[in-house]
Amino acid sequence: MKNSIFITILFALHLAMFSCKDTLKKQEQETVNSLQDSSLTYLAYSPKPTDRVISRSDYADKLYGFWLAECIANWTGLVTEMDKVGNIGETKTGKFYTREDWGTPDLPNIWSGDKPSNLSETIDFVFRGEDEIWGADDDTDVEYMYQHLLYTNKTLVLNGEQIRDGWLKHMKHEEENYLWVANQRALELMLEGIVPPETSDPEISKDSIYDNYHEMIDAQLTTEIFGLFAPSRPDVALKMAKMPIQTTARENAQWISEFYVIMYSLASYVDENLSMKEQTQWMATEARKRLPESSYAAKMYDFVKSRYNANVPWEQARDDIYTRYQVNQEDGYNITSKNMFCNGCFVGGINYAASIVSLLYGEGDLKETIKIGVLSGWDSDNPTATWGGLLGFMYGKEGVEKAFGRKFSDKFNIHRTRVNFPNNGMDNFTHMAKTGVYIVDRVVQEEMGGGIDLDKDAWYIPSIDLNIEPGN
């Protein structure tokens, strides 16, 4: 009798185990099957032994991590945005923040009078709980728009007219539109009939306020995502990003933006057996090749890297770039001589140098990188969003949640800053990631000459030798 009961129990456990496996397999297959773009014809493809194989569902998880961590970093960086820009000209903000300032009361920024940030009374992470909604900001909304334009136009390379039409449809024209400096100037020119890339032409874009809109930070925070649309192929990523970058940027600001695009693309190429520190530093070394040797962008990177290699604290490295580039105007960085508002605190160059501080000293740690970026000064939400997005992609959704020890909202309101999107502007990271996968499907098949296997949930990307050349 006992043996009979024992056998019955074993049989029940055996059935339960197989049932559980079948359920998991069914769930995995449903996830795979859900990643199929009804607007794309998937062509037969014979994989080659040298192809790079990437899981599409894993990539969707990484894209989720990108959007989530970029939002965390963006909103956290906004707490200290323009709190500390130095002491040159009429705008003086005292000593820069240090590590000891994390968790202390936030100080007013250059616009807020005596009022600190309304996002957080202290310098700390800004989160949105599971029942809340992430709002779009200028570090996420233009990237969202470019993803939407690529998918709805069923194209890989946006032309000037498509970008102009997208901007005019999705940007408010007169009331508060969350555009500043070069982005705002580009919109004004589009309203006058100018089409990208002429919107960044220094001779066309200059006005009575600035003669160097093309040097501003704008493209650095609106185009990194193109690297994610071309996994492991920075050559394709640069081709896709060229027109969006040149909508607002030329020369150093363009090369800096391309640096970020390359790093994002290389996140799918780097050896994942390396530590996160080694991965990010290898990616940066490769992306550095894009910066022309004579550019101030290249010299800024090399200077920050030299301070990092010398083991000076990150605060000292940050203070050193302030002295070198804003006080002494070395390496051809002459923004101080232009007597700009806040000494050009929104110019691409100084914010790029600050971003390299947080990248190198953060050493691939998501929270540490964001903290250093937040405390580094200038337009602090922009570098933090850039590296938050990159590391969030590398960590994936669960990795981001594990890093912070909590769950987050997946809801995103693009209509906080932009207009005329479906569903009254409400979206979620899962859907946004799925759209990104569909764009990559088209890129792999039509631009890279690779293939997609829906049954195996895989991209087959023809391998190439990296050959990153200086920009021109």
Side-chain angles (χ1 to χ4, degrees):
M1 182 70 174
K2 288 183 180 179
N3 286 340
S4 176
I5 293 173
F6 181 69
I7 291 171
T8 300
I9 292 172
L10 282 179
F11 182 69
L13 289 172
H14 185 72
L15 285 177
M17 180 179 68
F18 275 95
S19 176
C20 183
K21 285 183 177 180
D22 288 343
T23 299
L24 289 173
K25 186 175 181 180
K26 182 179 179 181
Q27 290 174 344
E28 290 174 358
Q29 191 60 43
E30 287 175 352
T31 300
V32 170
N33 290 340
S34 71
L35 283 175
Q36 183 170 348
D37 183 5
S38 60
S39 69
L40 178 66
T41 300
Y42 290 89
L43 304 178
Y45 179 79
S46 298
K48 302 176 181 60
T50 56
D51 284 348
R52 182 176 295 273
V53 184
I54 297 177
S55 164
R56 296 166 71 249
S57 56
D58 286 352
Y59 206 82
D61 178 79
K62 288 176 175 289
L63 288 173
Y64 186 115
F66 155 72
W67 286 111
L68 172 59
E70 188 174 47
C71 284
I72 295 170
N74 178 193
W75 283 96
T76 301
L78 283 168
V79 175
T80 61
E81 179 190 29
M82 304 302 183
D83 283 4
K84 299 294 183 179
V85 301
N87 298 290
I88 296 174
E90 295 182 2
T91 307
K92 295 178 172 60
T93 55
K95 292 183 179 180
F96 284 92
Y97 288 131
T98 69
R99 172 53 55 79
E100 285 67 37
D101 290 301
W102 186 264
T104 64
D106 175 60
L107 297 177
N109 64 36
I110 60 176
W111 302 295
S112 64
D114 60 353
K115 296 180 180 179
S117 172
N118 60 7
L119 294 173
S120 175
E121 293 182 356
T122 59
I123 301 173
D124 204 344
F125 290 108
V126 175
F127 300 137
R128 292 290 178 268
E130 293 180 77
D131 296 327
E132 298 179 296
I133 299 171
W134 292 104
D137 192 53
D138 64 343
D139 288 279
T140 55
D141 56 13
V142 181
E143 288 180 304
Y144 182 99
M145 180 192 70
Y146 281 139
Q147 173 167 288
H148 177 78
L149 293 178
L150 283 170
Y151 184 70
T152 56
N153 283 289
K154 295 181 174 53
T155 188
L156 308 179
V157 179
L158 293 166
N159 60 41
E161 288 76 14
Q162 289 169 329
I163 290 176
R164 176 203 58 198
D165 293 347
W167 277 59
L168 295 180
K169 178 178 179 180
H170 297 296
M171 311 292 192
K172 296 178 183 178
H173 297 177
E174 297 178 359
E175 64 270 44
E176 170 61 68
N177 63 7
Y178 298 91
L179 294 176
W180 295 275
V181 202
N183 278 339
Q184 177 60 32
R185 184 61 181 144
L187 177 64
E188 292 168 356
L189 292 172
M190 291 180 202
L191 288 168
E192 295 173 8
I194 305 298
V195 177
E198 281 69 29
T199 44
S200 66
D201 185 325
E203 291 303 312
I204 295 175
S205 61
K206 67 181 181 179
D207 59 16
S208 60
I209 303 175
Y210 300 120
D211 65 357
N212 61 336
Y213 283 100
H214 65 286
E215 288 189 275
M216 304 307 174
I217 193 173
D218 305 68
Q220 293 165 225
L221 50 127
T222 60
T223 58
E224 310 106 307
I225 196 171
F226 286 91
L228 300 183
F229 295 145
S232 78
R233 289 289 298 272
D235 58 322
V236 175
L238 290 173
K239 178 180 178 180
M240 296 178 68
K242 183 176 180 179
M243 188 67 74
I245 289 174
Q246 287 192 340
T247 296
T248 59
R250 297 289 176 99
E251 299 173 357
N252 281 276
Q254 175 178 333
W255 301 322
I256 290 167
S257 301
E258 291 172 344
F259 176 97
Y260 293 141
V261 169
I262 290 168
M263 285 201 66
Y264 270 55
S265 178
L266 291 178
S268 303
Y269 188 98
V270 68
D271 184 353
E272 294 184 355
N273 293 316
L274 299 174
S275 68
M276 287 296 289
K277 170 186 172 180
E278 292 169 325
Q279 288 184 53
T280 54
Q281 294 194 6
W282 176 84
M283 292 154 60
T285 298
E286 289 298 310
R288 161 64 180 83
K289 297 173 182 178
R290 186 64 178 178
L291 308 177
E293 293 299 321
S294 61
S295 67
Y296 64 65
K299 294 171 183 178
M300 284 176 164
Y301 178 90
D302 294 345
F303 179 71
V304 177
K305 185 70 180 292
S306 73
R307 305 311 290 146
Y308 173 78
N309 289 340
N311 293 316
V312 305
W314 72 259
E315 294 97 332
Q316 184 62 53
R318 185 270 321 281
D319 292 347
D320 289 346
I321 65 174
Y322 168 67
T323 300
R324 185 177 183 88
Y325 295 110
Q326 294 203 301
V327 177
N328 297 335
Q329 300 189 80
E330 297 185 47
D331 296 333
Y333 192 71
N334 64 352
I335 296 301
T336 296
S337 67
K338 293 181 176 291
N339 298 314
M340 302 172 67
F341 172 66
C342 72
N343 197 31
C345 54
F346 38 75
V347 172
I350 195 65
N351 286 286
Y352 171 68
S355 85
I356 300 304
V357 171
S358 57
L359 172 70
L360 295 180
Y361 284 88
E363 296 185 336
D365 182 290
L366 177 60
K367 293 176 68 176
E368 184 72 5
T369 302
I370 294 174
K371 284 183 178 181
I372 295 173
V374 166
L375 295 168
S376 287
W378 297 287
D379 210 351
S380 54
D381 62 314
N382 301 144
T384 53
T386 293
W387 300 136
L390 176 67
L391 293 175
F393 174 83
M394 297 172 75
Y395 278 53
K397 173 182 180 289
E398 290 186 6
V400 174
E401 293 172 343
K402 182 178 179 181
F404 289 98
R406 57 166 293 162
K407 300 288 186 180
F408 298 95
S409 169
D410 70 338
K411 295 178 280 292
F412 184 76
N413 178 21
I414 185 63
H415 278 184
R416 176 184 176 267
T417 55
R418 303 292 162 234
V419 293
N420 297 321
F421 284 98
N423 197 35
N424 198 31
M426 290 304 303
D427 208 335
N428 62 75
F429 297 150
T430 298
H431 178 259
M432 291 152 68
K434 183 181 291 188
T435 301
V437 167
Y438 293 163
I439 292 170
V440 179
D441 281 346
R442 193 175 294 274
V443 171
V444 168
Q445 185 167 277
E446 298 180 8
E447 183 64 34
M448 296 181 181
I452 304 111
D453 190 321
L454 294 176
D455 291 331
K456 294 183 178 180
D457 182 34
W459 289 313
Y460 296 99
I461 300 176
S463 295
I464 64 164
D465 294 330
L466 289 182
N467 184 28
I468 299 171
E469 297 180 349
N472 50 45

